Amino acid sequence: MQIHDTNLIKSLINFIDLTNIELTRVSCESLYYLSFDINLLNFIHRYDSKKLKDLLDQTNDPSIFCSIINILTQLIRTNENISNNIILNVIKFLKTSPNTFYLLRIIKSLNQLTKISQTIQLFKQEKIFSYLILYLRNENHLDIQLNILFILQTCGKDQQAAK
């Protein structure tokens, strides 16, 4: 990534304000793409990841929600010390959101989250498997289907989840 300006990250995080949804959407989406750079991801985490986590509980906007979840998923990949609340928010979105436009992003995040042992237990606790199977049957998007199959495969290897 060519952009290594931490002031840009600070500005984008400071732009996040639910009184201006469009600016917040664009800021969150930009942060998501910048989070692919490990140095910028770590800076986002250090600077104000709490604001991002709090935003999950406050927003009903699927674009903002997905961008934040995708950033936090990037964080989880590099730092497993993350709260169950984030995983539960993703599960809740999957169960309640009728917006299939963002489904691939959510399913990809869930697939990444299965690499964390606590995730599979939360999947079982929240009874997510029937939702995944429903999406697998009803969605014709190959990437969605493959990611769901990877999730089910990973969870099937877990003795507790397979019961």
Side-chain angles (χ1 to χ4, degrees):
M1 169 104 19
Q2 295 295 320
I3 303 172
H4 288 284
D5 186 357
T6 55
N7 288 324
L8 173 63
I9 300 293
K10 289 177 185 179
S11 295
L12 289 169
I13 290 173
N14 291 334
F15 285 147
I16 295 173
D17 178 357
L18 289 177
T19 60
N20 188 334
I21 295 295
E22 193 57 38
L23 183 60
T24 299
R25 275 186 196 132
V26 173
S27 296
C28 291
E29 189 74 12
S30 297
L31 285 168
Y32 166 60
Y33 288 110
L34 291 168
S35 73
F36 287 114
D37 180 292
I38 190 70
N39 295 319
L40 294 176
L41 177 65
N42 288 330
F43 184 79
I44 291 168
H45 180 63
R46 285 189 314 274
Y47 182 69
D48 199 355
S49 64
K50 182 181 179 340
K51 187 172 187 175
L52 299 178
K53 291 174 189 175
D54 291 345
L55 189 58
L56 283 179
D57 295 327
Q58 299 168 4
T59 188
N60 294 323
D61 185 280
S63 174
I64 294 170
F65 183 88
C66 283
S67 293
I68 297 299
I69 284 300
N70 294 147
I71 294 166
L72 295 174
T73 299
Q74 291 286 91
L75 269 173
I76 290 168
R77 286 180 35 207
T78 61
N79 178 8
E80 288 190 23
N81 187 17
I82 205 100
S83 75
N84 287 354
N85 189 43
I86 293 167
I87 298 166
L88 290 172
N89 270 311
V90 179
I91 292 170
K92 180 182 174 190
F93 182 88
L94 182 72
K95 287 178 164 182
T96 61
S97 178
N99 193 324
T100 57
F101 181 75
Y102 296 100
L103 183 60
L104 178 59
R105 289 176 63 178
I106 291 300
I107 296 294
K108 281 183 173 182
S109 285
L110 287 173
N111 190 15
Q112 289 294 319
L113 292 169
T114 60
K115 294 174 176 78
I116 301 168
S117 59
Q118 70 198 42
T119 301
I120 296 172
Q121 294 308 314
L122 288 172
F123 283 3
K124 183 178 178 185
Q125 173 189 318
E126 295 296 316
K127 300 176 181 161
I128 192 175
F129 300 112
S130 61
Y131 290 92
L132 292 173
I133 291 168
L134 181 68
Y135 282 121
L136 184 60
R137 288 182 183 157
N138 295 331
E139 290 297 323
N140 293 325
H141 192 283
L142 183 60
D143 282 342
I144 291 173
Q145 292 170 329
L146 286 173
N147 276 279
I148 290 173
L149 289 172
F150 288 136
I151 292 168
L152 294 173
Q153 180 183 30
T154 302
C155 292
K157 292 176 186 176
D158 184 277
Q159 293 299 315
Q160 293 296 326
K163 291 182 183 177

